[in-house]
Amino acid sequence: IHPALLHLLYCLLCSAGEEVVRLQELEGNTVTIHTGLTGVQSDAHILWFYGPENADIKIVNSLVFKGETNTDYPSERFRDRLQLNRTSGSLTIRNISREDYGVYKLQIITERTSVWSFSVDIYAPVLKPVIRNQAEKHSVTLRESCSPLCSVENGKDLSLSWYEEKERISSISSSDSSERLYLPLNKTNPNYSTYTCVAANPVSSQTTKLNITELCYNSTGKCYHYHLDLVFYLILIEL
Ligand SMILES: *[C@@H]1O[C@H](CO)[C@@H](O)[C@H](O)[C@H]1NC(C)=O
Ligand SMILES: *[C@@H]1O[C@H](CO)[C@@H](O)[C@H](O)[C@H]1NC(C)=O
Ligand SMILES: *[C@@H]1O[C@H](CO)[C@@H](O)[C@H](O)[C@H]1NC(C)=O
Ligand SMILES: *[C@@H]1O[C@H](CO)[C@@H](O)[C@H](O)[C@H]1NC(C)=O
Ligand SMILES: *[C@@H]1O[C@H](CO)[C@@H](O)[C@H](O)[C@H]1NC(C)=O
Ligand SMILES: *[C@@H]1O[C@H](CO)[C@@H](O)[C@H](O)[C@H]1NC(C)=O
C-alpha cells in the first residue's frame, strides 16, 4: 500500500471512532486527563498530541524497546510539567495555564491504533465583585439616594448575578472580556433582606454581600444628603 493511502485510511478510522471529552479546569491547578482505561498493554506505544485547535504537536512519546520503556516529552513548553501513566494512558499536567487550552489527543498503538480526544478549557479564578452606590456618581435626587451597583472584571464565560436570599433576580454576561461587567440592583426600595452579588465562571465563583446600612445609610452618606438638601434649600431661597 502507498503510504499516503495508508495515512488516509488511518485518518478515516481515527475520526470515525472519535468522541471528544470536554474538560473545564482552573488555571494553576494540576490536571489529570483521565482515560478511564485500567490495563493498557504493557508494550503499547503511547503518544499524546496537543494543539490549540488541532492536536498536531507531539508532547508525549512512550515506547517499549527490547523490554525497556522510554518515555520522552518532546515539547519544550510542556516538558517539565507532564507525567504519563502507562497503566491508564492518563496524562497529568502540572500548573496548567490559560495558554494550555485546546485539544489533547491520545493515541495508543498496539496491534491496532486507538485514539481519544479531549477538549480542555482553562479559566482564571474570578475576582470578588465590588458593590458601590451608583447614586453617588450622578446628581443625587433623594429618591435615588441608594442604588447599589455591582461590578467585576470580566473574563471568559463569566456571569454576574444578584441574588435575593437564594433566588437569582438578575444576571448579565458579555463575551467581550475587556469590558468590566456592571449590574445594578434594580430595586427601588431595597430592604434589609439578604442581597448578594455573585461573579461566576464554570470553575469558580466569588460572592459579595450587600450591606445596605453601610452602602446607603452611612453617617458620611447622611451628611452628604443633608448637605445637598441645604444647598437645594439655599438655591430656593435665592430664587
Ligand atoms: C496509574 O493508573 C492506574 C490505573 O488508573 C492507577 O491504579 C495507578 O495508581 C496510577 N499510577 C500513578 C503513579 O498514578
Ligand atoms: C505556574 O506557571 C506560571 C506561568 O504560567 C508561573 O508564573 C508560575 O511560577 C508557575 N508556578 C509553579 C508553582 O510552578
Ligand atoms: C429595572 O426595572 C424597571 C422597572 O421594574 C425596568 O423597566 C428596567 O428595564 C429594569 N432595568 C434592568 C437593567 O433590569
Ligand atoms: C424584604 O423584602 C422581601 C421581598 O421583597 C420580603 O419578603 C421581606 O419580608 C422584606 N423584609 C423586610 C424586613 O421588610
Ligand atoms: C453593615 O455595616 C455596618 C456599618 O459598617 C456594620 O455595623 C454592620 O455590622 C454590617 N452588617 C453586616 C450584616 O455585615
Ligand atoms: C461609609 O463610611 C466609611 C467610614 O465612615 C467610609 O470609609 C465608606 O467609604 C463609607 N461608604 C460609603 C458607601 O459611603
Side-chain angles (χ1 to χ4, degrees):
I1 291 186
H2 192 274
L5 191 62
L6 196 66
H7 183 72
L8 181 70
L9 193 66
Y10 164 71
C11 281
L12 282 176
L13 286 174
C14 69
S15 54
E18 222 174 90
E19 172 194 341
V20 179
V21 176
R22 192 150 178 238
L23 302 175
Q24 296 177 314
E25 305 290 345
L26 188 61
E27 170 182 54
N29 277 3
T30 293
V31 171
T32 297
I33 304 179
H34 290 285
T35 58
L37 305 172
T38 48
V40 174
Q41 207 170 301
S42 63
D43 62 350
H45 182 188
I46 303 177
L47 295 152
W48 274 95
F49 296 88
Y50 161 78
E53 264 136 46
N54 301 301
D56 46 19
I57 305 161
K58 193 190 289 177
I59 57 171
V60 178
N61 185 6
S62 180
L63 43 77
V64 179
F65 185 66
K66 290 187 176 162
E68 248 183 63
T69 307
N70 191 343
T71 302
D72 187 28
Y73 301 100
S75 155
E76 183 79 32
R77 179 177 140 197
F78 282 100
R79 181 170 300 145
D80 301 331
R81 297 189 288 133
L82 297 182
Q83 186 70 54
L84 174 72
N85 180 330
R86 276 195 58 93
T87 312
S88 61
S90 300
L91 180 66
T92 298
I93 307 164
R94 277 188 299 276
N95 192 19
I96 203 159
S97 82
R98 264 181 280 176
E99 288 74 47
D100 299 338
Y101 81 93
V103 183
Y104 290 77
K105 196 176 227 166
L106 167 64
Q107 225 178 66
I108 297 181
I109 304 168
T110 51
E111 288 77 35
R112 60 195 194 90
T113 299
S114 308
V115 175
W116 290 263
S117 277
F118 305 85
S119 154
V120 181
D121 267 327
I122 317 292
Y123 294 89
V126 296
L127 298 175
K128 207 170 165 60
V130 175
I131 300 173
R132 282 193 302 103
N133 187 359
Q134 196 178 10
E136 291 177 337
K137 246 178 28 181
H138 307 294
S139 63
V140 182
T141 71
L142 282 178
R143 214 169 288 158
E144 287 170 353
S145 65
C146 195
S147 76
L149 177 67
C150 186
S151 72
V152 74
E153 197 174 299
N154 199 6
K156 187 163 71 165
D157 297 343
L158 188 104
S159 70
L160 189 63
S161 310
W162 276 109
Y163 283 80
E164 184 175 327
E165 308 288 351
K166 294 215 152 56
E167 188 197 350
R168 183 157 78 176
I169 53 174
S170 60
S171 183
I172 192 175
S173 61
S174 160
S175 53
D176 183 356
S177 296
S178 66
E179 290 210 344
R180 204 176 165 82
L181 283 179
Y182 292 94
L183 187 63
L185 177 65
N186 204 3
K187 293 270 170 182
T188 39
N189 260 318
N191 67 15
Y192 288 92
S193 68
T194 344
Y195 289 100
T196 50
C197 183
V198 180
N201 68 15
V203 297
S204 68
S205 74
Q206 287 272 6
T207 299
T208 300
K209 262 184 104 155
L210 170 63
N211 182 334
I212 290 189
T213 319
E214 188 173 279
L215 192 70
C216 305
Y217 306 105
N218 214 346
S219 53
T220 44
K222 270 194 187 124
C223 284
Y224 185 53
H225 284 140
Y226 287 155
H227 180 66
L228 273 184
D229 284 347
L230 189 61
V231 172
F232 192 52
Y233 188 54
L234 288 175
I235 291 172
L236 278 179
I237 290 173
E238 293 263 330
L239 289 173

